[in-house]
Amino acid sequence: MPASACSYFPATHDLIKKYDVQSPRYTSYPPANHFRDNASPTEYQNYLNQRPTTVGPLSLYVHIPFCRDICFYCACNKIVTRDKNIASRYLHSLEKEIKLKSLFFTESRQVKQLHFGGGTPTFLNPAELMRLMRMLATHFQLVDYDSREYSIEVDPRTIDEEVLALLVGLGFNRISLGIQDFDLQVQEAINRVQSYEMVAGLVKSIKQHGFKSLSFDLIYGLPMQTEESIVQTMDKVIKLSPDRVSVYNYAHMPARFSSQRQMDRYLLPNAETKLALAQRIRQSLLGAGYQGIGMDHYAKTTDELALALQQGTLQRNFQGYSTNMSLETIGLGLSAISTHADRYTQNVHDLARYHELLGNDQMPIEKVCELNREDILRRYVIMALACQMTLNFGEVNKRFNIDFVQHFKSELVQMEQMEQEGLLDLSADSIALTELGRQLLRNICMVFDQYKPLDIAYCSKTI
Ligand code: SF4
């Protein structure tokens, strides 16, 4: 197996060097590091009261921050604990938050999308999971028809048949498993050992229980990963046949996430090797009939995500990619983000503060980002590129009543440069990304990001 990426990836060494820079992941625009601190709970309540009447389905995101063990690579907002009692108090505050926020959303709005993320949502025991669903059902209109998307992130080490059956009973029809890599040496290096046999048994049970969609999360750029090992991991992934695969580029930021220093004794793959790993994963999945979705997702062609891409309704959000079902997402729990048409609001990160604010019946928020017209325009451009890999200027002109070529004069000069480098095809009225551009998508999006010079150290490398 060759060590070099060059036979798979057309980027020259100079291009890799030029574009291996820090950049946001564009799960939102403006990126989350531009959310303003000191959000006011009262002002948020006023906003919710006064915003234009919003109709249509709702999306709920519930964050369960607890984990039993630490995975060294982790960049999530989590609390590692073996204290099982911690969840009960958390649910007490969460119930207050659910009640408080539900007051601002009319009862007729159906919850078509529900996602439990973490942390480890299955840190909650069966009684706690039931309690949480009951709270949500009391204050929001949950639905039971087939097209609902109720999903939960599952750590394969924390679930058994009993919980799986319970999740079906509670209405979940989608499961996402944190796989990362099947290679034992990689798993030991990242402190997350979970055998293929155990995962294969779990996958069999998930399919028997009739979940509509099974998704795997993988990470490349981890210690001990080689092209050879990743090919073997991908053979196992394909054998298990998940409906979706999310492939994440490991974000090494030990200054922000101290557990990552535990991997200091290992060499991390360099930028060229990471690109080769990403390319190996892509080849395996495309070869097995999956469709590439945006910058880091893959789906079977019959999956809703692939259909949303074909219909032009694919969206990028804090969970990655999503079908376009809701204009508003209500974030519940520690650090959860709510999305409205012209605003993001983020909950507090500190557990004690979360309890304190809800103890005083206050919204547990700490950050906000109000979008002006220019932000909304640029968000549209960035999300179109990130989802569709193309951008039609006429469509933007119609939607925002602008002259794209005039408005984005300086950005188009940079697009011309990127065209010469083979990242995209530029015409009089469109941008279309090439295969190389797809891999450097974050760099292309960054050209349209007005905020990029600020706090760039917060961001991970693009490659
Ligand atoms: S990767 Fe998941 S399970 Fe591991 S520490 Fe992070 S949030 Fe917890």
Side-chain angles (χ1 to χ4, degrees), residues 63-66 74-79 118-119 257 334-335 348-350:
H63 193 77
I64 308 297
F66 310 112
C74 182
C76 300
N77 184 40
K78 79 281 176 188
I79 296 167
F257 305 105
L334 213 60
S335 73
V348 294
H349 285 71
D350 180 71

Side-chain angles (χ1 to χ4, degrees), residues 67 69-71 73-74 76 78 80 118-120 155 157 192:
C67 296
D69 296 294
I70 181 85
C71 308
Y73 59 84
C74 182
C76 300
K78 79 281 176 188
V80 179
T120 310
D155 175 343
R157 302 166 300 172
R192 187 178 174 123

Side-chain angles (χ1 to χ4, degrees), residues 290-309:
Y290 286 82
Q291 175 163 10
I293 309 280
M295 65 177 84
D296 47 20
H297 281 41
Y298 296 85
K300 288 183 177 171
T301 48
T302 47
D303 188 274
E304 274 115 340
L305 219 47
L307 299 177
L309 176 65

Side-chain angles (χ1 to χ4, degrees), residues 394-461:
E395 184 64 42
V396 184
N397 292 344
K398 207 158 61 185
R399 214 174 252 260
F400 293 93
N401 197 22
I402 60 160
D403 177 344
F404 188 94
V405 175
Q406 274 303 315
H407 196 95
F408 291 107
K409 218 181 203 165
S410 65
E411 287 83 355
L412 285 173
V413 172
Q414 294 182 66
M415 291 294 110
E416 280 168 16
Q417 170 69 31
M418 287 181 156
E419 184 181 39
Q420 283 166 24
E421 292 166 337
L423 273 63
L424 48 91
D425 294 319
L426 187 61
S427 74
D429 64 356
S430 71
I431 296 168
L433 272 57
T434 62
E435 177 62 18
L436 176 58
R438 193 195 59 75
Q439 301 204 31
L440 298 172
L441 179 56
R442 286 163 67 186
N443 302 83
I444 297 170
C445 291
M446 201 157 51
V447 173
F448 293 94
D449 179 352
Q450 272 195 318
Y451 297 94
K452 59 191 179 291
L454 298 173
D455 200 11
I456 202 77
Y458 179 95
C459 304
S460 61
K461 288 273 195 94

Side-chain angles (χ1 to χ4, degrees), residues 320-390:
Y321 285 92
S322 153
T323 56
N324 181 16
M325 290 179 97
S326 169
L327 284 173
E328 285 192 301
T329 298
I330 309 175
L332 300 159
L334 213 60
S335 73
I337 297 175
S338 297
T339 306
H340 307 284
D342 57 359
R343 167 179 299 231
Y344 299 107
T345 308
Q346 184 164 31
N347 278 356
V348 294
H349 285 71
D350 180 71
L351 184 60
R353 180 82 180 133
Y354 182 71
H355 289 313
E356 185 191 332
L357 284 167
L358 286 160
N360 294 325
D361 293 319
Q362 284 193 294
M363 290 273 194
I365 62 164
E366 70 180 3
K367 292 189 177 198
V368 65
C369 180
E370 296 113 339
L371 279 73
N372 58 32
R373 192 181 140 74
E374 184 67 20
D375 293 331
I376 293 170
L377 163 64
R378 285 175 186 267
R379 175 171 67 180
Y380 178 85
V381 169
I382 288 172
M383 294 305 166
L385 288 168
C387 292
Q388 303 296 332
M389 306 285 142
T390 62

